Amino acid sequence: MPELPEVEALAGFLSGHLVGRTVERVLPVAVSVLKTYDPPLTALEGREVTGVRRYGKFLDLATGGGPHLVVHLARAGWLRWQDALPEAPPRPGKGPLALRVRLAGGGGFDLTEAGTQKRLAAYCVQAVAEVPGIARLGPDPLSPDFTLDVFAALLRDERRQLKGVLRDQGVIAGIGNAYSDEILHAARMSPFKLAASLTEDETAALYGALRTVLHEAVERARGHAAAELKAEKKSGLRVHGRAGQPCPVCGDTIREVSFSDSSLQYCPTCQTGGKPLADRRLSRLLK
C-alpha cells in the first residue's frame, strides 16, 4: 500500500508534470472507482491543473475555478504516468485499469488496481473536506505543528496497542502497515505495547523514531518517477516484509505475526526482550 512517503513523492512528481496543463478527458473504466457523482467528472475537463497536494494518503489535484479530483490508492492501487496515451478510449473489462486522465497536448496518467478487492477511490468534489476520509484525518506527522507535546497528547488516553494507534488515520495521517513496523523497530518497542503505558522518555523516543523514519523515507523517494517508487520503498524497509531475514541492527531473525488480511514484522531482540510474540492466526490452526 502506498503510504505517506510514496504519496508525498507522487504529489511532487505530479506537480512537475500536471500543474499548468489542461485536463482534456477523464475516463472512468471501473464502475467501483468513482465515489461521487456531483459534480460529474466532466466538470474537470477543459480546466487547468493549478496544484497537487497530499492529505494523509490522499492525492488532491486542484483545478482553476473548478472541482478537485481526489484519489486514494488503497492497498493495491497505483498511478502510471504516460507521456503518450493510446488514442483509442479504454474499454471496461477485467484488467487493472480503473480511470484515465488525458491532458491536452498529449500524455496523462492511468489509475490501476491489481487484485479482486476493488478499493481504489476517486472523488470529484468542490472542496477536499467533502471527502469523508480527509475530513476524519488526524494531524500530519510531517507538519511543523506536529510537536512532541501534540504526539504525547494523542497517546495519553489510548488503551490500544501501538501498532494499531500508529495506523489509525484518525489519530495520525498517512502511516500504514509498513512504516508503522519501521517506526516501532527504530524505537525498539513492541507493536503490542499499550500506547497509554509509555513513559515520557518512551514517548519521546517513539516520536523521534516516527519523525526520522518518515523524513528519511520521504527524502529517499523524492525526485523518483512514479514508476520507480514501489521498488524504492521496498529497498528502504529494514524489517517490514523481511520475515526470516537477519535484523540489520542485531542480526536476530525477523519474525512475523499474521492477521486475517495483513501481517506485521518485528525483531525480538530489538523490540520484545528476545521473546517471540504470539501469532494468533497460527495458534488457532494448531488447536
Side-chain angles (χ1 to χ4, degrees):
M1 176 186 289
E3 299 179 35
L4 184 155
E6 295 77 51
V7 181
E8 181 77 7
L10 275 176
F13 174 83
L14 290 175
S15 291
H17 287 72
L18 288 179
V19 173
R21 304 283 301 275
T22 298
V23 177
E24 182 178 278
R25 293 290 306 277
V26 184
L27 301 164
V29 179
V31 175
S32 60
V33 68
L34 190 59
K35 305 303 180 184
T36 56
Y37 62 90
D38 185 22
L41 284 176
T42 52
L44 294 159
E45 297 174 358
R47 298 190 182 276
E48 179 183 315
V49 179
T50 56
V52 182
R53 183 175 175 181
R54 176 188 60 80
Y55 294 88
K57 302 179 193 176
F58 290 85
L59 270 174
D60 166 35
L61 280 61
T63 62
H68 298 249
L69 177 64
V70 179
V71 173
H72 192 289
L73 295 170
R75 193 172 202 174
W78 198 243
L79 183 147
R80 300 182 186 277
W81 177 265
Q82 298 188 62
D83 291 325
L85 288 166
E87 290 298 326
R91 294 182 178 181
K94 296 182 179 180
L97 182 59
L99 184 142
R100 172 168 290 168
V101 174
R102 181 185 296 276
L103 302 174
F109 64 86
D110 289 338
L111 295 179
T112 63
E113 185 172 25
T116 58
Q117 295 185 351
K118 301 302 181 182
R119 296 177 180 174
L120 187 150
Y123 307 80
C124 186
V125 292
Q126 292 293 353
V128 292
E130 296 174 27
V131 178
I134 292 180
R136 292 194 298 265
L137 286 176
D140 192 292
L142 295 187
S143 168
D145 297 329
F146 189 76
T147 63
L148 174 57
D149 287 341
V150 169
F151 182 64
L154 293 173
L155 300 187
R156 190 167 295 128
D157 297 321
E158 274 288 355
R159 302 295 173 183
R160 293 180 293 166
Q161 295 171 345
L162 285 174
K163 174 74 174 180
V165 173
L166 291 176
R167 292 185 63 188
D168 188 334
Q169 300 304 292
V171 177
I172 303 171
I175 301 172
N177 197 29
Y179 287 107
S180 58
D181 281 353
E182 297 297 300
I183 290 165
L184 290 166
H185 178 257
R188 304 180 70 89
M189 291 183 189
S190 168
F192 289 177
K193 188 177 182 67
L194 296 182
S197 71
L198 266 60
T199 65
E200 288 187 11
D201 287 346
E202 288 173 330
T203 300
L206 183 59
Y207 173 80
L210 183 153
R211 298 277 285 193
T212 298
V213 166
L214 293 181
H215 276 291
E216 289 181 351
V218 167
E219 287 305 311
R220 287 196 306 269
R222 195 185 305 278
H224 283 274
E228 301 168 348
L229 287 171
K230 284 186 178 181
E232 190 286 324
K233 174 183 179 179
K234 186 175 182 181
S235 68
L237 298 175
R238 307 185 81 184
V239 291
H240 183 79
R242 301 191 182 279
Q245 299 180 29
C247 170
V249 174
C250 71
D252 193 3
T253 301
I254 295 170
R255 296 185 180 243
E256 178 174 276
V257 177
S258 299
F259 302 97
S260 59
D261 61 350
S262 66
S263 62
L264 65 83
Q265 287 80 43
Y266 69 99
C267 170
T269 294
C270 291
Q271 296 175 253
T272 61
K275 297 179 181 179
L277 297 174
D279 189 332
R280 293 179 176 84
R281 189 174 70 167
L282 294 179
S283 296
R284 286 198 300 270
L285 293 174
L286 294 173
K287 287 182 178 179

